[in-house]
Amino acid sequence: MTFRSRLLLALAALALTATYVLPLWHIALHAPQYPEGLGLYISIDGIAGQGAHDLQSLNGLNHYIGMHKIIPEEIPELRFLPIAIGVLAALGLAAAAVGRRWALTTYAALLLGGALAGLADFWWWEYRYGHELDPMAAIKVPGMTYQPPLLGAKQMLNINAHSWPASGGWIVTAAVVLVLTLVVWEHRRARRLAA
C-alpha cells in the first residue's frame, strides 16, 4: 500500500470513533396533531428523543396501536455496539500499520459486513416493532403495519415518517466508501505495476 492509502485508511478508521459522540440515525414523524414533529436519534449506546419528551410521546402513541414500548435498556445491540465500533476502528489502524493489500481487503470486508449487518439488524427491529402488534390495542386497522422506512419517507395513516442517517451515520458511510475506494485503487495500482 502507498503511504497515502495507509494514511487515508487510518483516517477512515479513526472517523468511526465519531459515533461515540454523534448519533447514527434519525427517525422523524410528522402528523397534524404534532405539527412541530416528533423524532428519535439512535446512537451506538442509546435512543433519545429529538425533543425533551419525544420518546415518551412516541411510546404513548405506540401504545394505542399496540406497538412495543421503546426501552433503550432492553435493546442488547446498544450494549455491544460501542465495543464493535472500537474493534473496527482498531482493526483499521492495524491494517494501516501492516500496510499490505491483504490487510486492507480483509478490513474492507469486515467493515462492509459490519455496516450491512447493522442495517439488517436495524431493519429487523423496525419490522418487529411495526408488525408484532398487541391484538388488544385500542386502534386496530386491518392489514395495517407501522414499520418506518429504513431509508426515506413513508406515510402511515396520518403520520409521515422519515428515516435517514444522522451525522454519525453519514461519517460511517463516508468511511466505508473511502475504504472500498482504497481497495479498488490499490488493486488497480498492483495490476499496473505487474504489467
Side-chain angles (χ1 to χ4, degrees):
M1 289 172 53
T2 64
F3 176 76
R4 183 180 69 171
S5 291
R6 293 172 73 176
L7 180 61
L8 289 172
L9 176 56
L11 288 174
L14 287 173
L16 297 178
T17 63
T19 61
Y20 286 101
V21 294
L22 298 173
L24 285 172
W25 216 264
H26 180 232
I27 297 176
L29 304 173
H30 299 279
Q33 64 269 39
Y34 291 98
E36 71 284 358
L38 295 172
L40 294 176
Y41 281 103
I42 301 166
S43 60
I44 64 171
D45 61 354
I47 300 174
Q50 178 177 304
H53 304 289
D54 282 11
L55 181 57
Q56 180 182 351
S57 296
L58 284 168
N59 277 331
L61 285 172
N62 291 347
H63 172 74
Y64 289 109
I65 58 173
M67 283 180 76
H68 297 286
K69 194 172 187 179
I70 300 169
I71 303 172
E73 297 78 22
E74 293 181 2
I75 300 174
E77 289 84 345
L78 298 177
R79 288 193 297 273
F80 71 75
L81 195 53
I83 297 167
I85 294 288
V87 168
L88 282 171
L91 288 173
L93 292 174
V98 169
R100 309 290 293 190
R101 275 192 323 279
W102 66 264
L104 170 63
T105 304
T106 302
Y107 178 67
L110 289 172
L111 183 62
L112 181 61
L116 292 176
L119 283 174
D121 185 63
F122 180 44
W123 179 88
W124 176 243
W125 275 96
E126 285 186 322
Y127 179 88
R128 287 185 50 231
Y129 273 82
H131 287 78
E132 295 176 5
L133 305 174
D134 182 354
M136 304 303 290
I139 299 173
K140 291 187 282 265
V141 179
M144 184 68 189
T145 61
Y146 302 96
Q147 179 181 0
L150 181 64
L151 281 169
K154 179 180 180 182
Q155 189 72 32
M156 296 179 290
L157 298 179
N158 68 334
I159 295 173
N160 191 7
H162 296 265
S163 177
W164 296 101
S167 51
W170 287 118
I171 290 171
V172 170
T173 301
V176 171
V177 169
L178 176 57
V179 170
L180 294 175
T181 301
L182 290 173
V183 169
V184 171
W185 189 81
E186 281 293 331
H187 282 276
R188 284 184 177 169
R189 188 180 73 85
R191 279 198 301 270
R192 282 194 311 269
L193 292 174

